[in-house]
Amino acid sequence: MSNQKEKDSMRDEGLKGNEQIEEAILALQQEATPEMLAHALTVIRRRMKEGGQLIVDGAQMNLKVVETGDGEKWWSAFTGFEEELQGADSVKSTFLSDMDKLFDAALSVPDIQGVALNPWNRTMMLDKLLIRIIKPEQGK
């Protein structure tokens, strides 16, 4: 039993601090200005550099794709379990992914537009341009 507790606390460790991202997205939703966008991207970059993780939905490492009304395809990722559980879907197969690895992968897949962060509530659509701003070393 304590072994499971250890696994749970280790699993959640990478999510600690992601509430800062949620707060920055909420502020951006309330005041959509270039300054608030820059702040949200800075917070995401800081969490990424701290080794922050996101919850991603997918079985056998195939990330779930969400399609927006305009037909664009995005990977969905969540800052925490509360955000993930707000979705209409039932509990699904999820795993944690390092932000930097997820962003690198998103930049390399031509069929997707980027990462839909918290697609149900405190949403931020990180297209490839915004990901390159967060990760300028990947901005080829």
Side-chain angles (χ1 to χ4, degrees):
M1 191 68 119
S2 72
N3 193 15
Q4 183 61 40
K5 265 187 157 175
E6 286 174 24
K7 284 182 184 174
D8 287 346
S9 69
M10 285 172 51
R11 182 186 68 198
D12 295 348
E13 195 64 35
L15 300 176
K16 288 181 182 171
N18 282 359
E19 64 277 354
Q20 298 165 11
I21 295 172
E22 294 169 15
E23 291 164 9
I25 292 172
L26 178 62
L28 177 62
Q29 288 175 335
Q30 292 172 341
E31 186 183 349
T33 64
E35 293 79 14
M36 294 309 285
L37 174 60
H39 172 69
L41 295 176
T42 299
V43 171
I44 294 169
R45 180 184 301 120
R46 185 180 329 120
R47 283 293 303 133
M48 181 189 69
K49 288 185 175 188
E50 292 169 355
Q53 295 181 311
L54 296 170
I55 301 167
V56 291
D57 176 14
Q60 286 124 15
M61 304 297 278
N62 288 325
L63 297 185
K64 182 176 180 186
V65 173
V66 292
E67 192 168 326
T68 53
D70 55 7
E72 292 183 339
K73 295 182 169 100
W74 302 77
W75 282 342
S76 59
F78 305 90
T79 54
F81 292 105
E82 298 79 19
E83 286 292 331
E84 177 204 1
L85 293 174
Q86 294 198 25
D89 297 350
S90 58
V91 176
K92 31 203 169 315
S93 174
T94 61
F95 58 95
L96 294 180
S97 174
D98 292 336
M99 289 181 190
D100 61 339
K101 290 181 178 141
L102 179 65
F103 295 155
D104 286 347
L107 289 173
S108 71
V109 176
D111 295 345
I112 65 157
Q113 297 300 309
V115 177
L117 194 54
N118 298 330
W120 319 131
N121 182 28
R122 292 193 180 170
T123 304
M124 185 168 189
M125 305 301 274
L126 296 172
D127 64 16
K128 291 179 180 179
L129 174 64
L130 293 179
I131 292 171
R132 285 185 187 104
I133 291 171
I134 293 168
K135 290 189 61 95
E137 65 276 9
Q138 290 298 117
K140 310 177 216 162

